[in-house]
Amino acid sequence: MTLLATSVKTTCPYCGVGCGLVAQSDPQGNIEITGDVDHPANFGRVCSKGAALAETLSLDDRQLQPVVDGKSTSWEIALRRIADKFNESIETYGPESVGMYVSGQLLTEDYYVANKFMKGFVGSANIDTNSRLCMASTVAGHKRAFGSDTVPGRYEDLELADVVVLVGSNLAWCHPVLHQRLLAAREERGTEIVVIDPRHTSTCDEADLHLPIKPGTDVVLWNALLGYLVENGFVDECYVASHVNGFDTTIAALDQPSIDDVAKMTGLSATDIRCFFAMFSATNNVVTVFSQGVNQSTAGTDKVNAIINCHLATGRLGKPGMGPFSVTGQPNAMGGREVGGMANMLAAHMEIRNETHREIVQEHWDASNLVTDDGLKAVDMFQAVRDGRIKVLWIMATNPAASMPEALSVREALEICPCVIVSDVVTENDTLAYADVQLPSQAWGEKDGTVTNSERCVSRQRTFLDPPGETRPDWWQIAEVAKLMGHERSFQYDSPADIWAEHIELTTLRNDGQRDLDLSFLRDADYESLSPQVWGSTCESGNRFFGNGGFYTANQKANMVPTLYCPPADQPTQDRPFQLITGRVRDQWHTMTRTAKAPRLLTHVGGPTLTMHSADIKAIGLADGQIARVSTDHGTVHLPVESSTRLREGNVFANIHWNDQYSSQACIDTLVPANLDPISGQPEFKAVPVTVEPIKNRCFGYFLSTEKPNLDDLFYWSANRTDAGWQVDFALTFFPSDFSDWLASTFSRLQGDDIEAFDYVDSSRGDARCIRTRGDQVLEIAFISSSPVSVSRDWLRGLIAEEFDDTFGVLAGIPAESNKDKGKIVCACESVGENEVISALSDTGCATVHDLGKVLGAGTNCGSCRPELRRLVEEFGVAA
Ligand code: SF4
């Protein structure tokens, strides 16, 4: 793999921070990805995921040719098949019988063409996106309050604020570079940080106040804050009088419970609530950052508006260091919103149901069949596939068979759908298993276009690698199908620059300040060399919106919206006593298509887990690492439990990443019911009542191999890559009588007379260990034990594919002195483990995170691990 140029500026493909990166060759010719010091999102910083991007560029698992009905074929045949299927379905059943499900991973240009194709020419608004699962409630909340989906503030507001409130946001793990910027500013100005989150996350390790709120009760807290602000004279009466509608109605609708009642409802202490209210009131410079913990709820839109109400009442938005701030999960959730990539939007922040907006779009597109009404949102769309209303579905850059709620129902829908088309970069994922047509898309580094980050900054993702095989851009695939369907004139694009220019013109058409999105300032900019640009440059106060009003409502005033507390749709019951919260881990991304290619990103969290309060684990009769069956009416998963005191009893947490490619049964969204916010259509992922039961396994194992093992016959497994092959955690309902034979016949793909096995078996204790070698080289190591295997994995991983010289040490499970167990890896960049940090704190006089950096190197590269280092300092440092 070689770079197309010596140095190419691009943008990270992961989270909504949208960090600028530079791809270049190191002196050995290897590709190196570093932070772009000129990019206004990160100024050179990257997180652990960004830092490991160069390790994810290999072509293994890549889909390089179109496939139709399981056979590789040409683009001509694949595109013809799609066009025919669309035409047949539209002619026979109407335009509502087809749909597209797209993604915040797409570039703005891809999104633009997909939206134009469906809403302008197919004549159906059945195009929705996985952003529906991510930030649809924010879009709905923004529109209710501001009349437009506008993010008022900038990242620098987090640095200029006196108080930053993080609501439902594990910023340290999910938006790490923004978190680092906040912490750096705190060093300078002593910013106070409040975190409102049911769990004590890594972000809380750096907070001045953590409010461990009961899932789903945020509206109670924010309504109470609003009441407090009014009662105690913190309302900015001048701002409200000039720029706000609905103040009196909203205040009149407040329940006004006592602080003690608020404490009872939210599960917080009255003292903490008072402290939060005092911190929020003490300064005008308050930024409230919110994310999935707010959005992914049946009351998501109301939560957003309850937060915005407090900022509108105090006039705290649109000026430096203040405002409500939604941070998006995906790299181009914002770009998708800008081109109307959701079923209830038109393009350029215009509305389908607004006649003037339709006229503008019609004029620009010369559309043959412009939609007049909203289409089906994600959950409803898959329901329509399931009941046969949608017969042709085109899925792009997303994996709904793993990520949608009721994922098993989604799989059933895909199974019975007459035509499923999937554009993706990989050969296998949970969704591709149902594809009639697979199209090979270009991956990050190969594709070319723009993305918009959470602060409205448009950046270029540039091509720096030769697109391999027959891969093509997503926009090209749609444009070619549109042409085959008779729309040649409207889809004549030679490059993403053509699409970008068309998009810019649409944002300016009959705008005159009527709409927030106006990209006219980029009209003359050169697309190739385009530097990051924050839109909103026509507004005052440094690209911030609404400091002096100017909302996009009929009277240009914002709306305060009465928000009544509505509990999560399903409450825990005797049968489903635990409340499941789903979320991300620091070093993985979505369904792991890219991040699972970098072994070091699997050293921090290396498998699926169910985090439970220690008391709950004990109560159900499990111990750390044992497997639990977690179930709802919609599905069952098997997850090893991990005890913690960092969440309340009765709450459990599982990450969203592991799926059928990496574990036997860990796809968490198979459990989640499709309970929706009635306004945004966003599902609730943060408050799911579940049953957790112990599974009686006879033994647990850990297996390492140079080759990808066979996993077919195992009851429970979780597998991923290592630097020298693969590792598998597994559980069995029996103890294998002949261990090395069982190993060879069950897992191993290595055969041959030259393979030697060394083993140690103690069936009375349920312990067995085996090493298989060829010559001097270690090819496989396996451990099984009656309890979860506790040997140093980092040590064993280092032995695979290396020369073998320590049979006794391996069979005894005891590393040599020079190979001491590092413990769980905390710093993935420098491979520093928890045990090393603890001994540095106790033995070498380290007393701060800075000291740990000097002695161990931990936290000195990307910095994503610094909150965890801080926790360890507090827990194990001398001062502690
Ligand atoms: Fe990428 Fe990390 Fe920056 Fe997010 S914070 S854009 S994942 S480098």
Side-chain angles (χ1 to χ4, degrees):
M1 191 154 309
T2 46
L3 268 185
L4 289 176
T6 46
S7 174
V8 179
K9 288 197 173 195
T10 185
T11 313
C12 179
Y14 297 127
C15 83
V17 178
C19 295
L21 303 174
V22 183
Q24 53 201 336
S25 288
D26 71 10
Q28 288 73 42
N30 302 313
I31 292 175
E32 221 177 41
I33 309 285
T34 51
D36 177 1
V37 292
D38 298 324
H39 198 287
N42 57 319
F43 300 106
R45 293 178 175 93
V46 285
C47 75
S48 50
K49 292 185 285 290
L53 268 165
E55 295 152 48
T56 67
L57 301 175
S58 70
L59 293 183
D60 51 326
D61 303 346
R62 282 296 303 278
Q63 189 172 323
L64 299 175
Q65 238 194 309
V67 174
V68 173
D69 297 333
K71 292 194 188 79
S72 293
T73 188
S74 64
W75 272 107
E76 198 187 343
I77 289 173
L79 295 170
R80 185 76 260 169
R81 164 72 80 94
I82 299 168
D84 287 349
K85 288 288 174 188
F86 264 79
N87 277 334
E88 280 165 29
S89 195
I90 293 165
E91 272 164 32
T92 316
Y93 305 104
E96 301 306 324
S97 67
V98 300
M100 285 189 85
Y101 184 61
V102 297
S103 162
Q105 304 293 129
L106 290 179
L107 303 177
T108 301
E109 291 76 0
D110 302 320
Y111 247 133
Y112 179 89
V113 176
N115 195 49
K116 177 177 175 181
F117 169 65
M118 285 298 293
K119 291 182 186 151
F121 294 84
V122 167
S124 162
N126 289 343
I127 170 167
D128 213 42
T129 158
N130 60 7
S131 295
R132 180 72 59 194
L133 316 179
C134 177
M135 34 44 46
S137 298
T138 290
V139 175
H142 280 166
K143 283 187 178 175
R144 285 207 301 188
F146 307 144
S148 59
D149 175 23
T150 312
V151 175
R154 305 285 316 277
Y155 289 160
E156 67 177 20
D157 291 326
L158 276 75
E159 296 165 326
L160 298 170
D162 298 325
V163 174
V164 173
V165 186
L166 301 163
V167 195
S169 159
N170 184 4
L171 205 73
W173 281 16
C174 303
H175 300 89
V177 164
L178 197 52
H179 189 242
Q180 286 169 34
R181 284 181 63 170
L182 170 60
L183 296 187
R186 183 174 69 169
E187 291 280 301
E188 302 265 306
R189 55 180 291 134
T191 318
E192 291 184 309
I193 301 173
V194 181
V195 180
I196 303 173
D197 194 311
R199 296 185 299 135
H200 188 112
T201 62
S202 242
T203 307
C204 303
D205 292 332
E206 299 282 358
D208 299 282
L209 176 65
H210 170 217
L211 301 179
I213 196 165
K214 270 191 205 162
T217 60
D218 308 56
V219 167
V220 176
L221 183 69
W222 287 89
N223 280 354
L225 173 62
L226 183 59
Y228 174 92
L229 294 168
V230 174
E231 235 172 69
N232 293 280
F234 291 107
V235 171
D236 182 338
E237 284 173 8
C238 187
Y239 187 89
V240 169
S242 311
H243 303 305
V244 177
N245 298 314
F247 176 82
D248 292 337
T249 333
T250 306
I251 303 306
L254 290 176
D255 276 347
Q256 308 273 21
S258 69
I259 294 272
D260 287 338
D261 285 341
V262 174
K264 243 182 245 154
M265 291 168 82
T266 56
L268 300 171
S269 82
T271 311
D272 283 353
I273 294 171
R274 283 196 189 92
C275 181
F276 167 51
F277 289 180
M279 287 165 85
F280 193 97
S281 313
T283 169
N284 273 334
N285 283 0
V286 181
V287 171
T288 304
V289 175
F290 54 97
S291 190
Q292 263 56 318
V294 166
N295 292 326
Q296 292 180 331
S297 160
T298 46
T301 309
D302 276 352
K303 288 182 186 177
V304 170
N305 286 109
I307 292 168
I308 293 175
N309 283 345
C310 292
H311 280 269
L312 286 173
T314 49
R316 292 175 185 166
L317 79 169
K319 297 186 189 114
M322 60 181 75
F325 204 127
S326 138
V327 282
T328 54
Q330 299 198 75
N332 200 28
M334 292 281 279
R337 282 145 76 168
E338 286 160 16
V339 296
M342 297 177 96
N344 53 332
M345 295 170 153
L346 207 38
H349 277 195
M350 287 186 271
E351 304 287 333
I352 296 177
R353 291 182 180 166
N354 180 314
E355 203 177 331
T356 312
H357 289 177
R358 289 203 305 273
E359 274 172 27
I360 294 169
V361 174
Q362 174 67 43
E363 180 185 329
H364 193 59
W365 285 351
D366 192 15
S368 61
N369 200 5
L370 191 73
V371 292
T372 53
D373 208 352
D374 295 353
L376 296 172
K377 298 180 181 122
V379 167
D380 297 334
M381 189 187 294
F382 282 96
Q383 184 55 46
V385 174
R386 195 153 183 255
D387 64 27
R389 279 175 289 144
I390 289 185
K391 296 165 197 308
V392 181
L393 182 68
W394 192 344
I395 297 165
M396 262 186 173
T398 184
N399 192 357
S403 57
M404 285 288 294
E406 297 181 19
L408 294 179
S409 264
V410 166
R411 292 175 194 204
E412 280 170 26
L414 295 174
E415 181 74 47
I416 58 177
C417 183
C419 180
V420 177
I421 303 140
V422 181
S423 297
D424 211 310
V425 302
V426 290
T427 49
E428 284 179 15
N429 68 23
D430 295 5
T431 300
L432 277 161
Y434 302 92
D436 300 287
V437 181
Q438 296 175 228
L439 301 180
S441 293
Q442 289 176 354
W444 180 78
E446 297 154 11
K447 59 185 181 179
D448 191 38
T450 55
V451 288
T452 307
N453 72 9
S454 300
E455 65 162 350
R456 293 176 273 109
C457 180
V458 178
S459 302
R460 291 276 278 109
Q461 260 194 30
R462 292 187 172 88
T463 306
F464 58 86
L465 298 168
D466 236 341
E470 295 290 313
T471 57
R472 296 283 186 276
D474 295 292
W475 63 261
W476 179 89
Q477 299 170 22
I478 306 159
E480 291 306 302
V481 168
K483 287 183 207 167
L484 288 172
M485 289 171 68
H487 310 300
E488 294 87 347
R489 208 169 43 82
S490 304
F491 290 87
Q492 287 297 346
Y493 305 115
D494 289 332
S495 70
D498 295 348
I499 304 163
W500 173 247
E502 186 179 310
H503 165 50
I504 288 181
E505 287 312 312
L506 183 53
T507 68
T508 66
L509 206 60
R510 288 204 245 160
N511 193 329
D512 301 323
Q514 301 294 306
R515 309 189 300 272
D516 63 340
L517 181 64
D518 180 349
L519 300 177
S520 52
F521 73 108
L522 294 174
R523 236 187 215 135
D524 300 324
D526 173 46
Y527 187 74
E528 284 316 313
S529 60
L530 187 71
S531 59
Q533 300 284 338
V534 178
W535 61 261
S537 54
T538 48
C539 47
E540 295 169 25
S541 197
N543 288 9
R544 290 177 184 83
F545 281 89
F546 311 141
N548 292 310
F551 295 91
Y552 295 93
T553 55
N555 66 358
Q556 298 196 358
K557 290 185 177 185
N559 299 315
M560 279 178 68
V561 181
T563 52
L564 297 179
Y565 168 58
C566 190
D570 292 337
Q571 292 296 322
T573 61
Q574 213 171 357
D575 289 345
R576 307 254 184 264
F578 295 99
Q579 209 166 20
L580 169 71
I581 301 167
T582 70
R584 301 171 191 246
V585 300
R586 190 188 77 190
D587 291 351
Q588 289 303 318
W589 178 255
H590 282 197
T591 55
M592 304 167 67
T593 311
R594 180 175 290 281
T595 41
K597 283 180 147 187
R600 76 169 143 133
L601 293 182
L602 288 151
T603 57
H604 180 242
V605 175
T609 46
L610 184 75
T611 309
M612 296 182 79
H613 194 278
S614 318
D616 287 334
I617 289 196
K618 205 166 156 206
I620 62 165
L622 281 176
D624 262 68
Q626 293 182 333
I627 314 294
R629 181 185 298 109
V630 190
S631 47
T632 65
D633 292 342
H634 305 283
T636 297
V637 297
H638 297 155
L639 300 173
V641 294
E642 173 192 60
S643 67
S644 170
T645 49
R646 287 159 71 90
L647 74 183
R648 66 176 68 238
E649 286 178 44
N651 285 175
V652 296
F653 173 80
N655 75 64
I656 58 170
H657 307 292
W658 267 265
N659 53 73
D660 288 1
Q661 309 306 308
Y662 300 101
S663 190
S664 47
Q665 208 170 328
C667 189
I668 203 70
D669 289 327
T670 58
L671 301 184
V672 176
N675 293 327
L676 306 182
D677 178 294
I679 301 160
S680 68
Q682 178 152 2
E684 183 148 65
F685 288 97
K686 305 289 190 192
V688 178
V690 295
T691 309
V692 183
E693 302 160 296
I695 295 176
K696 296 283 172 226
N697 285 295
R698 176 80 171 75
C699 58
F700 301 83
Y702 179 59
F703 176 70
L704 282 157
S705 176
T706 50
E707 301 294 320
K708 187 172 182 180
N710 174 25
L711 301 161
D712 294 343
D713 299 325
L714 294 170
F715 163 73
Y716 167 82
W717 60 266
S718 138
N720 50 52
R721 288 179 183 83
T722 65
D723 285 327
W726 285 77
Q727 62 182 352
V728 187
D729 278 286
F730 60 94
L732 301 173
T733 49
F734 60 93
F735 184 83
S737 50
D738 187 329
F739 185 47
S740 55
D741 269 9
W742 175 82
L743 207 60
S745 59
T746 304
F747 275 117
S748 184
R749 295 191 195 271
L750 300 170
Q751 306 296 340
D753 296 340
D754 55 347
I755 294 179
E756 257 191 293
F758 304 86
D759 63 12
Y760 155 83
V761 179
D762 181 347
S763 31
S764 63
R765 295 178 51 183
D767 264 0
R769 289 144 203 195
C770 182
I771 312 161
R772 298 178 83 220
T773 63
R774 180 181 284 131
D776 288 340
Q777 198 189 26
V778 182
L779 301 179
E780 292 175 346
I781 298 175
F783 274 61
I784 59 174
S785 166
S786 53
S787 54
V789 174
S790 61
V791 67
S792 164
R793 280 143 202 250
D794 191 62
W795 164 55
L796 291 183
R797 277 195 296 265
L799 301 178
I800 288 291
E802 296 296 319
E803 208 171 290
F804 180 55
D805 61 1
D806 187 17
T807 322
F808 177 77
V810 175
L811 294 182
I814 302 166
E817 188 57 22
S818 58
N819 270 317
K820 269 196 170 165
D821 182 8
K822 291 180 172 189
K824 180 187 166 224
I825 297 296
V826 178
C827 172
C829 296
E830 303 298 326
S831 187
V832 179
E834 202 167 278
N835 293 347
E836 293 174 297
V837 173
I838 294 169
S839 63
L841 290 169
S842 54
D843 303 342
T844 65
C846 285
T848 62
V849 173
H850 183 71
D851 294 344
L852 291 170
K854 279 214 229 150
V855 172
L856 300 171
T860 55
N861 186 28
C862 76
S864 301
C865 62
R866 278 187 210 135
E868 280 165 276
L869 295 174
R870 160 83 72 117
R871 173 179 65 80
L872 292 170
V873 168
E874 271 166 22
E875 222 171 309
F876 298 99
V878 176

